[in-house]
Structure formats: structure tokens, C-alpha cells
Amino acid sequence: MTNPARAFRYLACVAIVAAFVATYHYAVSVSPTTVALTLLLAVLIVSATWGLRYAIFLSVVATLAFNYFFLPPIGHFTIADPQNWVALIAFLATAVVASELSERARREALRATQRRKEIERLYSFSQRLLTTENVPQLLNSLPRYVVESFGLRDAAVLAAGRDDIYRSSPSTRELDAEELRSVAARGEPHIDAQRGLFFVPLRLGVRSVGAIGISGGTLSRETLEALASLVAISIERTAAMENLSKAEASREGEKLRSALLDSVTHEFRTPLTAIKASATSLLSDANLTSAQQHELVTVINEETDRLNRLVGEAAEMAQLDANQVELHRESHQVREAIDRALEQSKQSLSDHPVEIVAPAGLPQVTIDLERIKDVLVHLLENAGKYSSAESPVRVTAEAKGQTLTISVADRGPGIDDFEQTLIFDKFYRGKNERYRVQGTGMGLAIAKAVVEAHGGTIGVTSQVGHGSVFWFTLPVESQGVRVR
């Protein structure tokens, strides 16, 4: 507090006594007991509001005024009746003791308020620590979190096993790196109160995992220790989560590789067996007719194409997962993709009547035509494989707001609600169809990745026993804008 402010409070104490004297001595006639109690109340109020020093000063001024104006002989700093000495001393002692008690209560209240605020800041700080699950990101953000949460000037963190010092601001070097390393090594705090610097080790039990330094604040020792413990726990927690994520990713990778190997091995075995059998027949039997030889060569050719498609799907899935596929987008009518897909799926749909509902006025879409065609091929071939012969397949395209929705409907066995949530996962195949119909379970996963890469969504609506409708959306091209 500045000197003018202190002087103002002392003058205010004198003014308070003067106001009571003017009221009780000149305006209202009351007994000395009433005056003493009123002045004592003023002392308590000042003590609770401004502190002990002002209350004691007010007590002395009030004692002098009480003696001069209200104890006989009035107008003199003398006391005629010895009993009034007792009253005066009792008044002064009561005022001082009451001031001390009031000041103590005020200090305790201030400490309680400060502790409450620090606890609130610690809670807020801990909540911010929970939002980060990457150790480097956490260490880079920690000093800034500390400064913002506790209103400090600067903060720096040193983590065990790392050479870098992570600071709240790269321009400040007030917190010495060597001091941080020394505190982390010793495991004991170092406080420089004159410079306002605090260095606290980050401990987990008896193990030191680093150190934190702060400047420009006045945190209690308990808060400093709690802050250091939170930082240490958050670093250890984030490191543990990071290791767990790596282990989980490794396990998932192993499962994925196993699933891929199992699926591809199973699917490769069938065409390889057919190719081997046909080639063996050609080589071992010289009496085959031309028609028989042609049939065997046709089998080899078809199964080779199937093998090539399987390898292509596996490679495409890997590229899509790694985000290594570049889309060659151009403006097209979606009917172009539909026609190309129908041409390529002619054999799969040979036993099914196909109905196309695609109005001529549909808006343009900016797409990779080949990849959207492949999506439709997957959906059309699935419709042909999973629905009975002669059942119709319906292809629909319609504009809804800023999206274009393309759907393929069939009259197959349908998909139950549980499987609808899994049908687009890699290598998943329907539990009732996986042995009846050939496939790797990658087609719909590839379709999903391609559609999402175009900014669209894909899904299925199905009812068991009544067929399925696979649909996907594409963003409509903005008028006058084309993306290349």
C-alpha cells in the first residue's frame, strides 16, 4: 500500500473519533458507557476492515477523546475519580484485544480465501492437463498452462531423460537451466524470495522425474508442492498412455496383418488351385480337344484376373489407410460413373434386371471418376452376389440440398441391425454369407475410404428378408466453381 493511502486511513480514524465526539458531546447527550461501547464498535469495524495497526491507532485516539470529552473533569486530560481510571484502562485494553482478535480472524479469512482460490486454480490446472495425451505436446504446453492458471510471469519445466527446457515464453531466461537441473538431481526445492524465484522438484514418491521453476508470483509452499505433484503425475500418466497406445497400435497391427494374411491366403488358394489344375491338365493330357483346351485356358485367364483383383484390393486398402492415394478430381455427371460401373459389372448382374433412376438435370459433382466408378462396382457386384437370380437391382441418383445421393437397392436376404454397424469394417463379411459367397471383405471398406476422401458419407439401410439399400453421398459442385 502506498504512503498516501496509509495517511488517508489514519486521518479517517481521527475523523471517525471526531464525528462521534461531535455527535455525543454537542448534539446528543448520552452516558459515558454508551460512548465507550460506540467507540469500541468503531475499533472492531476498522480492525476487521483495515487491519490491526489502524485499529490500535484508533483505540489510542478514542481513549484520549473519551478522557478529554466524557470523563470528569471534562476538558482536561486528567481523571478525578479513580474508578474512571479503571474504566479508561479497561476500554483501551478491550479495544486492543478486540482489535487483535478481529485482525487474527481477518487474516485467517484471507488465508482461507487464498487457499480456496489456489485449490480452484489447481483443479482448473489439473483439468487442462487431462486434455493432452502426447508427452512432447504436454511438455510444450505445461509452462503456458502454469502461467495462465496461476497468474505468473514465467514458468519452465525440465523432464528427466530430456535435455530441453520447456518455457512459457522463448524470450525469457529468468529461470536458470542449471538451477532446474540441480533441483531435479537433488530432489529438494530452492526458493529465492528476494528475486521471486521458486524451483521445485517433480517427485513421484521418492523418485525425481524433473523440476519446475516459476517466477512473478507468491504461491504457498503447499500449493507449490501440489503443483509439482500434478505436473509429475500428468507427465507419467501421458507417457503411460502413449506407451499403451503404441502397444495397442502394435497389437491392432498384428491383428490386421493376421486378418489380411488369413483372408488373402484363403481367397488366393481357390484361384491358384483352379489355375494349377487347369495347367496340369493341359500339360499332362495331349488328347484334349480344342474346345477342352480353350475351356481350361479360359479358366486360367479368369482366375488370373481374380488373383490380380485381390492383389489390387489389398494394395488399394493399404494405400487408403496410409492416406497415400491422390484423387484426380474433375467435374462430372454422376451418370458417367454409373454407366461405367454397370458395364464393368455386366457379368455379376447378368441374371438380374437393372433399373436406373437418374434424372437428366442432376448437378455436377467434382470427383475422381475412376474411384467413384469402383465404389459403384463394389456395390453392384455385392447386389448381384448376395441376391437371388432374377431379382431386380435398382440404381438411384437424386439431389438433396448440397449433396447428391447415389443408392443401390437389391432384394437379397438383408442385414440385421448388429451387422449393419460392422459391414464397412475391413475384412468383415456377413456371418451367414462368408462361406457361401467368395470375397475378402475389403470391398466395402475401400468404398467407405474413397467416399470419405471425397467428403461424403456411406451407409446401408436394410431389413432382414426384404433386401438392402447401400447409399453414399457426394458434395454438389458449387455453382461457377470447379476443383481440379
Side-chain angles (χ1 to χ4, degrees):
M1 184 180 293
T2 60
N3 290 330
R6 290 177 180 173
F8 170 78
R9 290 188 176 182
Y10 284 122
L11 289 175
C13 290
V14 174
I16 289 171
V17 174
F20 280 122
V21 168
T23 301
Y24 289 146
H25 186 71
Y26 297 105
V28 180
S29 178
V30 295
S31 67
T33 302
T34 302
V35 175
L37 291 174
T38 306
L39 291 174
L40 185 60
L41 180 62
V43 170
L44 292 174
I45 293 172
V46 168
S47 175
T49 306
W50 290 343
L52 182 61
R53 69 171 69 183
Y54 302 104
I56 291 177
F57 175 76
L58 179 59
S59 299
V60 174
V61 174
T63 300
L64 295 174
F66 185 57
N67 178 17
Y68 190 83
F69 290 102
F70 299 101
L71 293 180
I74 293 174
H76 297 85
F77 286 109
T78 58
I79 299 176
D81 189 346
Q83 292 183 0
N84 288 336
W85 277 106
V86 176
L88 188 63
I89 293 172
F91 170 76
L92 180 59
T94 302
V96 171
V97 171
S99 298
E100 170 63 23
L101 294 175
S102 179
E103 169 68 7
R104 188 178 300 173
R106 191 175 73 90
R107 285 197 300 266
E108 290 298 326
L110 288 175
R111 287 196 195 100
T113 301
Q114 184 178 2
R115 284 195 294 269
R116 178 181 58 79
K117 289 181 178 178
E118 289 181 352
I119 290 172
E120 289 175 351
R121 289 174 173 177
L122 284 170
Y123 174 75
S124 175
F125 178 63
S126 68
Q127 294 298 106
R128 299 185 73 174
L129 295 180
L130 294 174
T131 61
T132 308
E133 298 182 358
N134 176 276
V135 174
Q137 182 183 350
L138 175 68
L139 291 173
N140 280 304
S141 303
L142 258 174
R144 178 170 52 85
Y145 289 167
V146 172
V147 168
E148 292 174 356
S149 298
F150 295 92
L152 305 173
R153 183 171 60 248
D154 193 19
V157 174
L158 168 70
R162 296 177 182 266
D163 295 330
D164 294 336
I165 304 296
Y166 301 88
R167 300 181 181 274
S168 57
S169 173
S171 60
T172 59
R173 288 293 183 271
E174 189 177 17
L175 298 166
D176 185 58
E178 290 304 317
E179 187 64 36
L180 281 168
R181 292 189 178 94
S182 175
V183 168
R186 295 196 319 269
E188 294 294 332
H190 175 249
I191 297 176
D192 187 347
Q194 290 184 345
R195 297 169 58 196
L197 303 179
F198 303 86
F199 297 90
V200 186
L202 306 177
R203 282 198 296 259
L204 285 172
V206 295
R207 180 167 60 96
S208 176
V209 296
I212 183 171
I214 64 173
S215 66
T218 55
L219 300 181
S220 66
R221 189 181 184 91
E222 293 81 4
T223 301
L224 284 172
E225 291 177 353
L227 170 62
S229 295
L230 281 175
V231 172
I233 291 170
S234 68
I235 293 175
E236 196 74 5
R237 167 191 166 275
T238 306
M241 291 186 64
E242 199 171 45
N243 292 334
L244 181 63
S245 297
K246 290 178 181 177
E248 186 66 25
S250 178
R251 284 195 296 271
E252 288 298 320
E254 289 297 327
K255 287 172 60 179
L256 183 61
R257 281 190 288 272
S258 298
L260 177 61
L261 183 61
D262 179 66
S263 179
V264 170
T265 301
H266 179 270
E267 291 302 318
F268 275 19
R269 186 174 290 118
T270 302
L272 283 173
T273 301
I275 292 171
K276 177 66 175 176
S278 299
T280 301
S281 298
L282 286 170
L283 291 172
S284 62
D285 192 347
N287 299 319
L288 293 174
T289 65
S290 315
Q292 289 172 327
Q293 290 178 354
H294 182 269
E295 182 180 354
L296 291 173
V297 171
T298 301
V299 169
I300 292 173
N301 182 60
E302 290 177 352
E303 295 301 327
T304 304
D305 288 341
R306 182 179 168 193
L307 276 175
N308 185 56
R309 186 171 70 254
L310 290 171
V311 173
E313 285 183 352
E316 186 176 14
M317 192 72 254
Q319 289 177 331
L320 288 168
D321 278 346
N323 295 319
Q324 293 178 347
V325 175
E326 181 181 355
L327 298 179
H328 303 285
R329 302 191 189 196
E330 292 185 351
S331 182
H332 293 280
Q333 283 286 342
V334 76
R335 183 60 187 260
E336 297 179 56
I338 294 173
D339 291 340
R340 291 194 184 191
L342 287 170
E343 180 64 27
Q344 186 170 327
S345 307
K346 186 181 297 183
Q347 184 176 353
S348 300
L349 298 173
S350 59
D351 296 333
H352 301 271
V354 179
E355 180 185 1
I356 303 172
V357 181
L362 291 174
Q364 299 273 104
V365 285
T366 304
I367 55 174
D368 185 323
L369 185 61
E370 280 301 309
R371 292 201 174 275
I372 293 300
K373 180 263 294 181
D374 290 341
V375 170
L376 283 164
V377 168
H378 284 304
L379 300 183
L380 289 168
E381 288 185 348
N382 279 354
K385 283 191 287 186
Y386 290 101
S387 56
S388 58
E390 304 303 325
S391 63
V393 174
R394 180 186 178 96
V395 182
T396 304
E398 57 181 331
K400 296 179 180 179
Q402 295 300 309
T403 61
L404 190 68
T405 302
I406 303 96
S407 61
V408 176
D410 61 55
R411 299 285 181 84
I415 306 167
D416 64 35
D417 293 341
F418 174 73
E419 286 198 298
Q420 288 181 35
T421 63
L422 304 173
I423 201 73
F424 293 98
D425 291 348
K426 291 187 287 289
F427 310 118
Y428 183 82
R429 301 183 65 207
K431 59 186 179 182
N432 297 323
E433 309 292 338
R434 62 187 64 176
Y435 301 112
R436 187 176 68 84
V437 180
Q438 295 179 346
T440 61
M442 288 189 288
L444 289 177
I446 292 172
K448 181 175 185 287
V450 170
V451 170
E452 290 180 348
H454 281 80
T457 57
I458 190 169
V460 60
T461 303
S462 183
Q463 185 177 2
V464 175
H466 294 79
S468 304
V469 179
F470 283 87
W471 54 266
F472 65 94
T473 64
L474 295 170
V476 170
E477 184 177 296
S478 299
Q479 189 173 4
V481 178
R482 291 189 178 184
V483 182
R484 296 280 181 181

